[in-house]
Amino acid sequence: MKISFIGAGNIAWHLAPALERAGHSIKEVYSRHLKNAEKLCKNLYDAEAQAHVNFSRSKAQLFIIAVTDGSLPEVLEHLILPPQAIVVHTSGSHGVGVFDAKKYPLAGVFYLLQTFSRAKPIQMEEVPICIEGSNQEVESILLKLAASISKNVQLVSSQNRKTLHIAAVFACNFTNHLYSIAAEILKDKNLSLDLLKPLMQETLEKALELPPKEAQTGPAYRGDANIIQEHLAYLEKFPTYQQIYRLLTESIIKVKNADDGS
Amino acid sequence: MKISFIGAGNIAWHLAPALERAGHSIKEVYSRHLKNAEKLCKNLYDAEAQAHVNFSRSKAQLFIIAVTDGSLPEVLEHLILPPQAIVVHTSGSHGVGVFDAKKYPLAGVFYLLQTFSRAKPIQMEEVPICIEGSNQEVESILLKLAASISKNVQLVSSQNRKTLHIAAVFACNFTNHLYSIAAEILKDKNLSLDLLKPLMQETLEKALELPPKEAQTGPAYRGDANIIQEHLAYLEKFPTYQQIYRLLTESIIKVKNADDGS
């Protein structure tokens, strides 16, 4: 397929070369900052960098909008596409409804359920890709395209994508914040997070093998009230973390009691 | 060294064979439930299972108490050791002070900072071992013993071990609970946690490479108030998880603002 990118950030940085490797051809890359587009184009076969969103003369059949959630509506306002072009966004939080059906009759979502950093290579064939289209024909084109770069492709409705996104906030964003709280509690006593790393790895490995509920351990799960009280007293000097400790402990106990009672 | 185990649970299950492989000899294994001790002894060279804690005739030089935190005080009340024996516990939460200095002059802590499951083999040489002794001689014996099975050995005071334990509750027990919340939110819509697994792995990998604070992403970190409100509205039917979402979001914003301001 002939494809153009609107946006030259982390997603485009990984997705555009992966599509080329699968035999597709990248025609143009737009970025507000032309330099970013040029930088990405250097990694591509013969894509052209451009600083405007008028694609009326483009040969591309598919336009992938990979910009931040916040700038998507503005991009859609100014974007000009050639007739018959399909347009997709890569956002987890916007529905397919963000595309005005009159202006964009052939629209869809191409959502990569992964976190991308420019410096860190990613195994694209392992990345779950969630597809949605404004009609069945678009959907089947997008499914085929996604399957050419990943073996983990699913049709996911806007509603389910929202659920996935919320779950990802818990399993990833919040999890990372807990790592960062652990690091801060340790740093306060000049201890390093390194000591916890084998345990962090093993915790994840268990949760990948077992339903995480069955892998639950710790003072809350054992109902060890003495230890919990000691920990809460220790956390007096970190009031927010004390609140988090209390709430998560209560939640673990609640889930356990519900399961024991069922 | 000649070593006996009090307790035949998950820690003894992994630690006793690891010590044998390093050339030490396991003499006795005690368990309240003799069958558990017998089961572990089957994996050992010539250890004997016993159902009482009178070790007055034992040839062991070191006694490793690997029981639950709650049963440690009771075990210590009844335990009878041969003269000159060293005794250690493997608990993260009890100090070395749990050993009465008159009854147990040669005492210490041998804390393996890892989560053990019977079915899952563990790379013992990667497990951080935190050592503490009631005197320097005990400490140097324990350090040498730990170094014979792991390359990650540290002298850690009771106070610092408590800090480590609290940090581990955040980075591991609470993290696992967040995985389990994510699984429940997905299950509610018949979606599988499998879709999130690559993202969970990448999140951990990033936190192992970068300080986790620098790896933070997500709606809270971006300050995306619209998405946060949508997510909170979605979570109406999971009131505890809604509270957790709100509190962790506030905490991420607080940390970010403190860093931006500094």
Side-chain angles (χ1 to χ4, degrees), chain B residues 30-45:
Chain B
Y30 156 82
S31 170
R32 266 187 311 169
H33 308 289
L34 189 62
K35 277 200 176 163
N36 290 346
E38 284 169 347
K39 217 167 161 190
L40 173 51
C41 287
K42 272 190 199 149
N43 290 347
L44 300 171
Y45 186 65

Side-chain angles (χ1 to χ4, degrees), chain A residues 169-170 173-174 177 240 244, chain B residues 216 218-225 227-229 231-232 235 241-257:
Chain A
V169 169
F170 280 91
N173 303 151
F174 288 168
H177 185 54
T240 305
I244 292 171
Chain B
Q216 190 64 54
Y221 190 77
R222 288 195 306 272
D224 197 331
I227 304 279
I228 293 168
Q229 283 314 317
H231 287 182
L232 286 171
L235 291 169
Y241 304 157
Q242 191 193 42
Q243 258 184 295
I244 292 171
Y245 188 105
R246 186 174 283 122
L247 186 56
L248 287 169
T249 292
E250 283 166 7
S251 180
I252 290 171
I253 293 171
K254 215 176 282 175
V255 169
K256 183 166 195 262
N257 288 345

